[in-house]
């Protein structure tokens, strides 16, 4: 189900982009000659896309729409057609996309018709490799094109390993069984060696996440990790809901568990790096200094957090934790000199907590104070 939703969202996003830029085609900024060229690209691109599918898959598709691939470079007043088109096609209820040239007669294109089949076989393959049930699964791939999921070659069912060597992929596997992936992968050498091999040699970026439960999965801030950009960007914001995660790529191989500590109604979260509790938490053991940063007086105790190791520490503060209304939180820490700053507060999906993250690096590491202000 989630694969169909993902694909549908991607398809409508592409369509929205091209509908937006295509509004420019009727604008007076294009010359008569350029408009004629664009119409020609669409016409030939339509013919090419249909013939490409006929020769590759053996059926004639219905055509829903043809959109130009447009490019805008610095200094351009209008986007210009780069010669390719995106053809939105259909076989019965099955919609798919082809990218192909509209400048010349060609049978060389790329499409996403087999995306569903590839995802299904990949999910089955990795479920057997890992030996546990997935709650969600993401697979992203593609060549240089207007959109991902488009490939030139024909995928032969059962050839997933060859496919993974041909196309660098992004994979995310989510489970909701509250497992320690560091421990699990240490005991599953076949899976670990597979991900290490494909990460180091074939460009795979694989992310495994174990949520504490299905309920916690629903409360997670995002389920788009590893769908582009840094693989685990801001994952510490979901440490309240995620038990552990593991990363395999050419650049990095790591796994970690999140540790939770409660204090004064708040939840403190960090990566579990040592035996026992990693954080030492106290209240009113230090005074809030007047450094001219925070306006007014604190309406909470001054909380102190100490840790000898570097890394992010996220504090989840219940909305109703304090009788006095608070709207701001400030941190004070020492590194060469005492400093203070206002933190960026975020709210959990269920609006139960407000939270912020202290990035404990440098000589100060995980040692800081914080207080709440009205």
């Amino acid at each position: 189900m989630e694969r169909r939703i993902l694909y549908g969202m991607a398809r409508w996003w592409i369509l929205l982009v091209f509908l937006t830029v295509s509004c420019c085609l009727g604008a007076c900024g294009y010359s008569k000659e350029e408009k004629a060229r664009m119409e020609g690209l669409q016409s030939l691109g339509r013919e090419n896309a249909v013939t490409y599918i006929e020769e590759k898959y053996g059926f004639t598709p219905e055509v829903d729409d043809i959109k130009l691939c447009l490019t805008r470079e610095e200094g351009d007043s209008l986007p210009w057609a780069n010669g390719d088109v995106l053809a939105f096609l259909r076989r019965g209820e099955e919609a798919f996309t082809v990218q192909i040239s509209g400048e010349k007669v060609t049978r060389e294109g790329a499409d996403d018709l087999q995306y569903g089949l590839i995802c299904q076989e990949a999910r089955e393959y990795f479920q057997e490799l890992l030996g546990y049930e997935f709650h969600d699964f993401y697979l992203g791939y593609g060549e240089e094109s207007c959109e991902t999921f488009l490939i030139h070659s024909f995928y032969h069912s059962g050839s997933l390993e060859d496919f993974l060597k041909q196309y660098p992929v992004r994979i995310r596997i989510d489970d909701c069984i509250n497992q320690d992936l560091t421990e699990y992968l240490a005991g599953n050498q076949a899976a670990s060696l597979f991900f290490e091999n494909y990460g180091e040699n074939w460009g795979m970026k694989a992310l495994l996440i174990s949520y504490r439960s299905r309920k916690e999965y629903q409360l997670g801030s995002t389920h788009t990790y590893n769908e582009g950009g840094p693989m685990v960007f801001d994952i510490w914001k979901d440490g309240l809901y995620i038990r552990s995660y593991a990363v395999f790529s050419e650049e990095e191989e790591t796994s970690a568990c999140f540790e939770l500590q409660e204090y004064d109604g708040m939840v403190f979260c960090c990566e579990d790096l040592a035996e026992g509790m990693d954080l030492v938490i106290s209240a009113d053991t230090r005074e809030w200094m007047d450094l001219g940063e925070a306006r007014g007086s604190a309406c909470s105790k001054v909380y102190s957090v100490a840790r000898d190791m570097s890394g992010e520490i996220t504090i989840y503060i219940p909305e109703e934790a304090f009788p006095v209304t608070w709207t701001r939180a400030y941190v004070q820490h020492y590194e060469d000199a005492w400093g203070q700053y206002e933190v960026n507060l975020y709210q959990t999906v269920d609006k139960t907590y407000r939270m912020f993250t202290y990035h404990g690096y440098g000589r100060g590491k995980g040692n800081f104070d914080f207080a709440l202000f009205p």
Side-chain angles (χ1 to χ4, degrees), residues 32-213:
K32 182 178 180 179
E33 291 75 16
E34 182 63 13
K35 290 178 183 178
R37 173 179 170 269
M38 290 175 169
E39 291 174 1
L41 292 173
Q42 288 180 305
S43 177
L44 183 55
R46 179 190 186 101
E47 295 176 14
N48 285 341
V50 170
T51 305
Y52 164 81
I53 291 297
E54 288 175 337
E55 295 190 358
K56 184 174 181 179
Y57 296 108
F59 69 91
T60 301
E62 301 174 56
V63 180
D64 285 345
D65 204 357
I66 303 292
K67 296 295 180 183
L68 296 171
C69 285
L70 301 176
T71 302
R72 185 196 291 270
E73 296 183 353
E74 187 176 353
D76 290 341
S77 58
L78 290 172
W80 53 276
N82 66 15
D84 282 357
V85 302
L86 281 183
F88 296 89
L89 308 180
R90 182 178 301 278
R91 176 172 58 179
E93 296 299 315
E94 184 179 21
F96 57 97
T97 305
V98 169
Q99 181 187 348
I100 200 163
S101 174
E103 289 186 308
K104 61 182 180 180
V105 175
T106 182
R107 302 298 176 260
E108 295 182 4
D111 67 274
D112 58 9
L113 177 60
Q114 295 182 292
Y115 178 68
L117 172 64
I118 296 167
C119 282
Q120 177 184 340
E121 294 199 355
R123 181 170 188 147
E124 292 170 355
Y125 182 96
F126 288 110
Q127 194 139 327
E128 182 177 352
L129 177 69
L130 288 165
Y132 59 80
E133 181 182 354
F134 300 167
H135 181 73
D136 196 10
F137 177 81
Y138 169 81
L139 176 68
Y141 57 84
E143 299 170 344
E144 292 185 5
S145 61
C146 290
E147 178 58 22
T148 189
F149 311 138
L150 301 177
I151 57 173
H152 292 281
S153 61
F154 182 92
Y155 175 74
H156 295 276
S157 181
S159 62
L160 183 70
E161 291 188 8
D162 290 336
F163 177 85
L164 297 177
K165 292 177 180 178
Q166 187 177 1
Y167 297 102
V169 301
R170 285 181 176 266
I171 293 173
R172 188 188 65 254
I173 297 171
D174 297 335
D175 75 71
C176 298
I177 55 180
N178 195 33
Q179 63 176 328
D180 181 341
L181 286 167
T182 299
E183 183 178 288
Y184 182 84
L185 291 168
N188 190 332
Q189 286 298 304
S192 294
L193 291 173
F194 177 91
F195 286 119
E196 289 172 7
N197 175 32
Y198 278 79
E200 293 174 2
N201 300 311
W202 305 105
M204 175 184 286
K205 295 181 182 295
L207 172 62
L208 283 61
I209 302 178
S210 184
Y211 285 82
R212 300 179 190 275
S213 70

